[in-house]
Amino acid sequence: MLHTHINSKEKLLIHLFLHRITFLKFDEKNILAKRIQNLDDLNNLSLLQMQTLLNRELKVKEKWNPSENLRMAEIALNYCQKLDIQILLNQDLEYPELLRQIADPPYLLFCRGDINILADRCVSVVGTRRITPEGKNAAIEFAYSAVLDSCNVISGLANGADGFAHQGAIDAYFDYCEKGLDTMKLGKTIAVMPTSIDVITPASHKKLASQIIQSGGLLISEYEPGLPLAKWHFVGRNRIIAGLSPATLVVEAPAGSGALITADFALENGRDVFFHQVAFNQIAKEIDKLSKNELDKAFEQKKVSKFKKENTIEKYLEAGAPVIKDYKDYCQVLKEIPGKRAVEINQGELFKLD
């Protein structure tokens, strides 16, 4: 049975139909949702009608076919029913308020697991796929401690720091189960996926995804079942990771990495960004130096943007991002006067190669 907070199949199809229109903005989809009454309206929804209702010109690269879009929405709905996937509309009470506040919120969220935990206290944990042994331990330990403190851990299910953050949260749950302790007050872990909700990537994380649900956590995606993976989905995933939390912790992240894109989204939306001190261990600094050299060459060849080249840890430290050593220290910084840690940071020492 499909679990959704949208009160009829017809209404659900209308929302799925609008969700699939990539050339519409979030607010525009909400405007159209109020004007469309039934499926006949969808079948006859021309570009001209949309332009009139939205009062702007729509530039569309591909031919607009409302009947085909409705057919694909029906296929997605059938998948959701078959796989017991929950659908959250941005107007639903269960839709996370923090996420609703970002510049470009997902119109719909597709979920597997316990959606009720979206309202609980949380922290996002991200980092590079090329993580060092120290970074691995830091991600696991931080997430483990956060969960013991009833704080949810949000990450992106990727290899490296993401996977270890999820694992730390899961380990806390299974340790409690093994000891016969009550797991109800534990935090959980939430994985934001770049793929459609029915596909796990990397494939090696299928067991991890299963354990996330088993431990009371949640898998979420803004992409409906059956939708092929696109490169830009990874950046889209990063904005959701940052948007779900008041704070994002970067474990390790060489220049130009996806984790720093997540940090940039966090800052854009007025959220806190923290760095773990392991980001400045010897191996991590050497990886960062190599990454900067690669980016410099790629920029000269016009293969990467200036933003990617200049998106470094130093940028965030200069903006006041604190450096913490563990979850307890993270909680302490939250209580301190904003900017106190930033004043104490000596960047020259942090980035010095021994």
Side-chain angles (χ1 to χ4, degrees):
M1 178 181 176
L2 177 70
H3 296 281
T4 177
H5 295 265
I6 304 168
N7 58 19
S8 75
K9 180 178 179 180
E10 187 171 50
K11 281 290 186 183
L12 185 51
L13 280 172
I14 290 172
H15 290 301
L16 281 166
F17 177 97
L18 294 172
H19 177 74
R20 289 183 44 79
I21 305 177
T22 56
F23 55 81
L24 292 182
K25 301 173 185 176
F26 172 80
D27 289 338
E28 292 173 338
K29 293 177 183 180
N30 281 326
I31 290 170
L32 291 179
K34 294 176 182 177
R35 302 296 295 271
I36 295 169
Q37 301 300 316
N38 53 53
L39 298 186
D40 287 336
D41 288 347
L42 292 184
N43 270 315
N44 300 311
L45 188 64
S46 67
L47 282 176
L48 182 58
Q49 285 177 309
M50 283 191 275
Q51 289 179 158
T52 301
L53 290 169
L54 300 173
N55 195 29
R56 80 169 175 100
E57 182 183 354
L58 296 174
K59 296 180 180 180
V60 183
K61 294 181 180 179
E62 298 178 1
K63 183 179 179 182
W64 169 243
N65 186 334
S67 297
E68 176 62 14
N69 196 55
L70 178 57
R71 187 183 74 84
M72 296 303 294
E74 289 171 337
I75 290 173
L77 177 57
N78 287 334
Y79 267 119
C80 289
Q81 291 173 327
K82 185 176 180 180
L83 300 175
D84 200 26
I85 292 165
Q86 302 173 83
I87 303 172
L88 278 182
L89 176 64
N90 62 85
Q91 302 296 324
D92 288 335
L93 290 175
E94 291 80 2
Y95 190 98
E97 181 57 33
L98 279 175
L99 187 60
R100 193 183 283 117
Q101 294 171 5
I102 70 172
D104 182 28
Y107 184 73
L108 296 178
L109 286 176
F110 299 88
C111 309
R112 296 171 60 195
D114 185 3
I115 62 170
N116 294 310
I117 66 173
L118 287 167
D120 297 336
R121 187 164 58 95
C122 61
V123 59
S124 295
V125 180
V126 297
T128 181
R129 289 170 173 79
R130 295 188 289 176
I131 197 164
T132 68
E134 288 180 58
K136 169 188 172 180
N137 292 335
I140 291 173
E141 290 169 6
F142 183 92
Y144 192 104
S145 298
V147 165
L148 293 187
D149 190 38
S150 304
C151 182
N152 291 335
V153 173
I154 298 170
S155 199
L157 202 64
N159 283 322
D162 290 21
F164 292 122
H166 291 307
Q167 192 62 60
I170 291 166
D171 287 349
Y173 172 83
F174 285 114
D175 283 352
Y176 261 50
C177 289
E178 189 174 320
K179 296 173 183 177
L181 300 173
D182 183 11
T183 61
M184 291 298 293
K185 292 184 179 180
L186 292 179
K188 306 296 187 292
T189 187
I190 299 170
V192 184
M193 300 158 51
T195 56
S196 60
I197 189 64
D198 58 322
V199 176
I200 302 299
T201 187
S204 58
H205 278 179
K206 287 182 179 179
K207 181 180 178 181
L208 182 64
S210 177
Q211 289 178 327
I212 288 173
I213 295 175
Q214 184 182 351
S215 61
L218 182 67
L219 306 179
I220 65 174
S221 173
E222 68 176 318
Y223 307 114
E224 70 268 22
L227 190 72
L229 177 64
K231 286 184 178 180
W232 55 270
H233 286 183
F234 290 93
V235 175
R237 181 267 310 271
N238 292 348
R239 90 185 192 287
I240 297 175
I241 293 172
L244 283 168
S245 292
T248 293
L249 171 71
V250 181
V251 179
E252 288 177 356
S257 67
L260 292 180
I261 293 176
T262 306
D264 190 67
F265 278 125
L267 283 187
E268 279 186 2
N269 289 292
R271 313 297 167 81
D272 290 326
V273 174
F274 295 78
F275 285 87
H276 200 291
Q277 67 180 17
V278 295
F280 310 98
N281 73 60
Q282 187 64 22
I283 299 175
K285 286 189 286 189
E286 289 172 358
I287 293 172
D288 184 58
K289 184 178 179 181
L290 288 172
S291 181
K292 286 174 180 174
N293 291 336
E294 292 169 0
L295 286 170
D296 286 341
K297 292 177 183 177
F299 180 72
E300 289 174 5
Q301 298 168 358
K302 298 183 178 180
K303 292 181 179 179
V304 300
S305 66
K306 185 179 180 181
F307 167 79
K308 188 176 181 73
K309 174 181 176 295
E310 295 178 351
N311 200 23
T312 64
I313 292 182
E314 292 95 324
K315 165 185 166 182
Y316 298 94
L317 297 183
E318 288 169 2
V323 177
I324 57 99
K325 59 185 179 182
D326 52 27
Y327 179 75
K328 183 178 179 181
D329 194 30
Y330 162 79
C331 293
Q332 179 60 39
V333 175
L334 291 178
K335 299 175 185 177
E336 293 175 357
I337 299 171
K340 181 178 183 292
R341 294 291 179 103
V343 174
E344 297 172 354
I345 292 172
N346 185 330
Q347 289 197 40
E349 287 300 315
L350 288 174
F351 289 97
K352 182 179 177 182
L353 288 171
D354 298 332

